[in-house]
Amino acid sequence: MSREERGSVWLGVSGLVMNHLGEWLVVKKRYGGLHGRWSLPAGFVNKDETVDVAAVREVKEETGVDCTVLKMIGFRSGVIKNNISDNMAIFLLKPFERDPILQAQLSELYEVRWMSPQELLKDTDASVMLHELAEQTATAGFDIIEGINPGDVFGYSSYKLFINKDN
C-alpha cells in the first residue's frame, strides 16, 4: 500500500509470535527507520481486512509462519511531523506448527529468527518497542469477541470487538 493510498491516517499491525520455548519471532528490517534493527513482523491493514487478519497475513508474508491470534496486547499511536497519524495494533500470535520453517521476505528483511525476551533486552539492535514489550508482561491484553452485529444499518461485512475481559 502506497503512502498516497494510506492518506494522513495510517493503521498498521504487528504480530508478536511466541513459540513453545517462549521465544519471539523477530525480523531485521531492510528499510525505513528500523533499517538494520530487530522488530516484530508488521505492515499496513488493507481496506478489506480487520486488524487481526492483517497481523496474521503480515507475519505469513514476512516470515512464512502461519499463526492464529490469541489476543491484542497493545496499541501504539504517534504523529509524524505534525502531519501523519501513525497507529499500530499489536497482537499476540501462536504458530500452528511447533517448529515452523522460517522464510524471510528478502525484499524487506535481512533476517528472521527466534529470540528470547532476555536476549532482546540486551541487543542494541532491538527496536524501542521490542525493549518495552520485553520489559512488560507481553501476554496480557484484549480478547477478541466475534459473531456480534451492531446493527444491519451500519453494513459491516466483518465486525470484531477487542476488550479486556479480566476487568
Side-chain angles (χ1 to χ4, degrees):
M1 180 182 297
S2 70
R3 283 186 179 209
E4 292 77 30
E5 290 173 308
R6 287 193 301 267
S8 60
V9 178
W10 296 356
L11 181 56
V13 292
S14 63
L16 191 165
V17 182
M18 190 180 317
N19 69 14
H20 65 282
L21 300 173
E23 297 169 319
W24 296 359
L25 185 62
V26 293
V27 297
K28 192 169 267 195
K29 302 283 188 180
R30 283 188 181 268
Y31 63 91
L34 292 175
H35 182 263
R37 312 248 353 233
W38 292 110
S39 67
L40 297 174
F44 292 99
V45 179
N46 292 331
K47 64 183 177 181
D48 62 343
E49 296 176 310
T50 56
V51 288
D52 57 317
V53 169
V56 169
R57 174 186 51 78
E58 284 292 341
V59 168
K60 173 70 173 175
E61 287 176 2
E62 291 190 5
T63 70
V65 177
D66 288 306
C67 296
T68 186
V69 172
L70 298 177
K71 58 180 64 181
M72 179 190 282
I73 58 171
F75 193 85
R76 190 254 304 139
S77 185
V79 178
I80 301 171
K81 298 180 181 177
N82 294 315
N83 191 41
I84 296 170
S85 177
D86 182 20
N87 306 281
M88 177 176 284
I90 307 161
F91 290 89
L92 179 64
L93 295 98
K94 179 181 177 184
F96 285 130
E97 297 179 36
R98 182 175 168 95
D99 293 308
I101 296 171
L102 303 182
Q103 193 169 13
Q105 183 181 26
L106 295 177
S107 61
E108 293 186 11
L109 308 173
Y110 288 114
E111 188 178 352
V112 58
R113 73 161 69 153
W114 296 103
M115 293 177 77
S116 73
Q118 296 77 22
E119 288 176 287
L120 291 165
L121 279 171
K122 295 175 188 172
D123 195 319
T124 57
D125 285 339
S127 71
V128 169
M129 189 168 79
L130 274 178
H131 278 162
E132 290 297 322
L133 286 168
E135 288 178 354
Q136 307 299 321
T137 304
T139 57
F142 300 90
D143 294 308
I144 303 171
I145 299 174
E146 299 183 76
I148 54 177
N149 182 352
D152 293 338
V153 65
F154 295 108
Y156 285 105
S157 55
S158 182
Y159 186 88
K160 298 177 182 182
L161 183 60
F162 299 86
I163 62 171
N164 185 340
K165 294 195 280 187
D166 295 333
N167 290 339

